[in-house]
Amino acid sequence: MSLLDRFYGNDKAKEALVFYQRDGRFPHGILLEGTEGSGRKTFARLIAAAALCEGETPPCSQCRHCRKILKGIHPDVQTISSEPGKKSFSKEQIERLRADAWVKPNEAPRKVYILCEAQYMTSWAQNALLKLLEEPPAGVLFLLTCDNRSKLLETVQSRVVALSLMEPGETLTAKALLEQTPELGEERAWQAAVQSGGNIGRAKRLLTDEKYAALLERAADLCGKMEKSDWFGILQVLAGFENDREGLLQCLEEIRQLLAKNTKDSFVAKSDRQFRILPLQAGKVLDIIEQGMEYARQNMSMPLLTTWLGAGISSVFEE
């Protein structure tokens, strides 16, 4: 059995991977776009395994390359993320990557670099990688993950093949949870699937992180206030984050993920509830949230930030 059978949904992305493997010509750069928890990093590892696999049904999970990649110890597969406390990759990380890419593989026919959360790379970092992406050394594969390709420079986008990963939905999420943790029970698995919006990564986190579960409830509460055009209620929820910058960022991220899906649909589902938020309204709130998250990262005063967010979001639903 191929490891792809254990990756739920996303048939188009899996079909593309099978084609690359059978054809024997992987693109030198692949961009995996999807929301947090949609399996971007997991699928990147599957691509790496398929590219190096020696089995009959790549990625087979049994050959030496697959086993090492799954354990995260393969010397020719590097996962690169921003350093602790930072969003973007450092200049030193980019320079090490550019130098290392020209070093021959240790034991595999090619080398794979997984660059996580590429949307946070600075313009300098993206430009520094352009030459490598355009004319990479022979046998080098770059895998980039991001939540939205539009955050990357157009020059970077033009040099990679983009694959979109979608959340598998509530039914498949519940199935995945039960297969991986049968003791969970159908009721709890389904509840987590619904609360996560059909996102396996988030569902798993909900089941193990009480703080995260509480944060989702606050995000759902804020969506409910939006639906009712409750200006005072919106301010109340946001005021609860005046001493918690990181918590506010996480809450805004959860709402952003919800509304990003809602720009084409008239409803947002969360915590067994549905909120009627029109696509046009969702789009306007998304713009405000994006700007608010940027202000938060720039250390804007928290009381000022929460008031600015509350006034901006409320104005959308008063129009």
Side-chain angles (χ1 to χ4, degrees):
M1 176 184 291
S2 168
L3 283 172
L4 291 180
D5 296 327
R6 304 176 193 173
F7 193 82
Y8 295 87
N10 293 288
D11 290 339
K12 289 184 178 180
K14 290 191 288 188
E15 288 170 4
L17 177 53
V18 170
F19 172 78
Y20 297 147
Q21 197 281 326
R22 286 178 180 172
D23 190 50
R25 292 185 295 179
F26 279 82
H28 60 261
I30 299 176
L31 174 65
L32 300 175
E33 176 188 41
T35 60
E36 180 182 353
S38 60
R40 296 169 301 184
K41 191 174 179 180
T42 297
F43 200 69
R45 286 197 294 266
L46 291 180
I47 294 176
L52 305 187
C53 183
E54 297 175 324
E56 294 183 0
T57 55
C60 69
S61 79
Q62 300 301 316
C63 73
R64 56 182 179 134
H65 293 309
C66 281
R67 291 199 305 271
K68 287 185 178 181
I69 290 171
L70 293 177
K71 293 179 180 179
I73 59 173
H74 200 295
D76 296 317
V77 178
Q78 292 190 36
T79 299
I80 303 172
S81 304
S82 58
E83 295 175 343
K86 298 180 180 179
K87 284 291 186 181
S88 177
F89 298 165
S90 68
K91 183 177 180 180
E92 291 74 19
Q93 284 179 300
I94 299 298
E95 290 178 342
R96 284 198 301 269
L97 169 59
R98 291 198 297 184
D100 188 74
W102 293 96
V103 178
K104 291 184 178 181
N106 289 278
E107 59 184 67
R110 69 173 81 210
K111 298 177 73 171
V112 181
Y113 296 92
I114 302 173
L115 282 65
C116 300
E117 307 296 342
Q119 71 269 16
Y120 294 128
M121 293 174 66
T122 63
S123 294
W124 179 90
Q126 293 183 54
N127 279 313
L129 286 175
L130 277 180
K131 187 65 174 178
L132 272 180
L133 291 173
E134 187 173 15
E135 299 179 7
V140 173
L141 171 61
F142 293 100
L143 305 175
L144 288 70
T145 73
C146 76
D147 62 357
N148 189 331
R149 73 183 76 177
S150 66
K151 295 179 181 178
L152 299 179
L153 298 176
E154 291 185 5
T155 47
V156 172
Q157 296 182 52
S158 67
R159 287 164 172 77
V160 296
V161 174
L163 298 179
S164 295
L165 296 182
M166 308 300 293
E167 295 165 341
E170 296 169 0
T171 300
L172 284 179
T173 295
K175 179 181 178 181
L177 294 175
L178 283 172
E179 287 183 357
Q180 295 170 19
T181 52
E183 68 277 9
L184 193 61
E186 292 186 7
E187 183 177 352
R188 185 69 185 99
W190 181 251
Q191 182 183 30
V194 172
Q195 287 181 314
S196 68
N199 182 303
I200 295 176
R202 287 195 191 129
K204 290 180 178 179
R205 188 176 175 188
L206 268 170
L207 293 167
T208 58
D209 188 341
E210 292 183 3
K211 185 177 179 180
Y212 179 66
L215 189 70
L216 282 187
E217 283 302 315
R218 294 173 79 177
D221 189 22
L222 191 53
C223 285
K225 307 298 185 188
M226 291 183 203
E227 178 191 28
K228 297 175 182 177
S229 300
D230 184 354
W231 182 79
F232 181 70
I234 291 172
L235 280 177
Q236 271 191 317
V237 175
L238 291 170
F241 291 101
E242 285 191 358
N243 296 313
D244 185 6
R245 186 178 301 273
E246 189 59 35
L248 176 63
L249 277 167
Q250 292 177 7
C251 184
L252 293 178
E253 174 63 24
E254 292 301 326
I255 295 172
R256 190 179 70 83
Q257 300 289 353
L258 281 172
L259 297 183
K261 294 185 294 184
N262 203 51
T263 52
K264 294 183 179 180
D265 191 0
S266 297
F267 298 93
V268 170
K270 202 69 167 178
S271 303
D272 297 316
R273 292 148 59 185
Q274 278 194 328
F275 307 108
R276 185 180 294 276
I277 298 177
L278 299 175
L280 180 60
Q281 293 173 326
K284 290 181 178 180
V285 174
L286 269 175
D287 291 339
I288 294 170
I289 285 178
E290 291 282 0
Q291 185 61 64
M293 293 176 76
E294 184 60 30
Y295 284 153
R297 296 187 187 105
Q298 294 173 359
N299 290 321
M300 183 180 190
S301 161
M302 288 299 289
L304 179 60
L305 175 57
T306 54
T307 301
W308 180 86
L309 282 167
I313 293 172
S314 297
S315 67
V316 172
F317 297 92
E318 291 173 353
E319 296 177 358

